[in-house]
Structure formats: structure tokens, C-alpha cells
């Protein structure tokens, strides 16, 4: 058995603001009511991926994650429209990737797999 990502959080200074940003960017919905103060659990309806949520952070901390997308240019543009920042995507054998930041400065990555990448 290999080690797989089983759970992660995006630590952020303002959970409500982060919920709005990621709902607008990825269409995420959140379980209501929240199970813990300062935490928003991302709904997993039909999703077999890892469990995750957004958590009130003590400082500017984060996990660096890459979210798989089908059109990296469009998603980078959308990040900027929502008040975030996006680097120019770079190409590698696995596809295109870009480091971006949300509207509070939390960094994460976007990844558009190459056609032949499994």
C-alpha cells in the first residue's frame, strides 16, 4: 500500500472570506453547520478524493497543494479576477503548473496534466 493524501486543510486568516473565494473559483460547497468554530468542511458529495477543509490559522500558514484543472490559463485568470495572484504556468513532462495565491495570500498550485500523463 502506498501513502496517499488522506486529509488536508488550507489555513487562512479569514475562513468566511476563504469560503467565498474557493466557492467562486472551484464551485466548492461546505457542510452546514460547521463541526468546529473557525473551520469549514468542504462537502464531498460523490467525491472519492481526500477529505479536506478550510481552517482558521494562527499565522500565515498553508499546505502547498496542486489542484487538477482542465484549463490552467482560464483558472489563473479566474484567480486574478477574484483578487488573487497567479504566476505564468510552466511546462514539464507531467503538464502545466502554476503557483497561485488566493485573495488573502494563501499559496497553492494549479496543475493541468499532459494528455499522456496518467
Amino acid at each position: 500500500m502506498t501513502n496517499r493524501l488522506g486529509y488536508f486543510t488550507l489555513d487562512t486568516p479569514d475562513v468566511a472570506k476563504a469560503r467565498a473565494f474557493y466557492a467562486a473559483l472551484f464551485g466548492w460547497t461546505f457542510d452546514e453547520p460547521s463541526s468546529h468554530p473557525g473551520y469549514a468542511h468542504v462537502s464531498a458529495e460523490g467525491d472519492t478524493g481526500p477529505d479536506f477543509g478550510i481552517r482558521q490559522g494562527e499565522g500565515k500558514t498553508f499546505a502547498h497543494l496542486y489542484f487538477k484543472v482542465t484549463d490552467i490559463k482560464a483558472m489563473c485568470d479566474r484567480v486574478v479576477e477574484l483578487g488573487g495572484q497567479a504566476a505564468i504556468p510552466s511546462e514539464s513532462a507531467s503538464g502545466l503548473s502554476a503557483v497561485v495565491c488566493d485573495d488573502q495570500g494563501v499559496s497553492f498550485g494549479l496543475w493541468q496534466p499532459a494528455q499522456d500523463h496518467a
Side-chain angles (χ1 to χ4, degrees):
M1 176 176 207
T2 61
N3 292 329
R4 295 181 184 190
L5 180 61
Y7 185 83
F8 64 88
T9 61
L10 297 175
D11 289 7
T12 180
D14 185 327
V15 172
K17 193 171 180 182
R19 282 176 59 141
F21 181 90
Y22 291 105
L25 180 62
F26 291 128
W28 289 353
T29 58
F30 298 87
D31 293 345
E32 298 295 344
S34 176
S35 56
H36 302 287
Y39 181 81
H41 184 263
V42 177
S43 296
E45 292 180 29
D47 185 8
T48 59
D51 195 25
F52 65 101
I54 298 170
R55 180 179 65 173
Q56 183 77 37
E58 292 297 317
K60 193 174 179 182
T61 59
F62 60 91
H64 194 75
L65 310 164
Y66 283 87
F67 295 98
K68 186 177 176 180
V69 299
T70 56
D71 185 341
I72 198 164
K73 169 90 170 79
M75 291 303 281
C76 286
D77 290 346
R78 184 73 174 131
V79 166
V80 173
E81 287 171 16
L82 293 168
Q85 297 178 355
I88 296 171
S90 61
E91 190 167 2
S92 69
S94 65
L96 297 170
S97 62
V99 174
V100 300
C101 294
D102 70 12
D103 59 345
Q104 297 182 75
V106 177
S107 175
F108 62 97
L110 299 174
W111 171 56
Q112 180 180 321
Q115 283 190 328
D116 61 348
H117 189 74

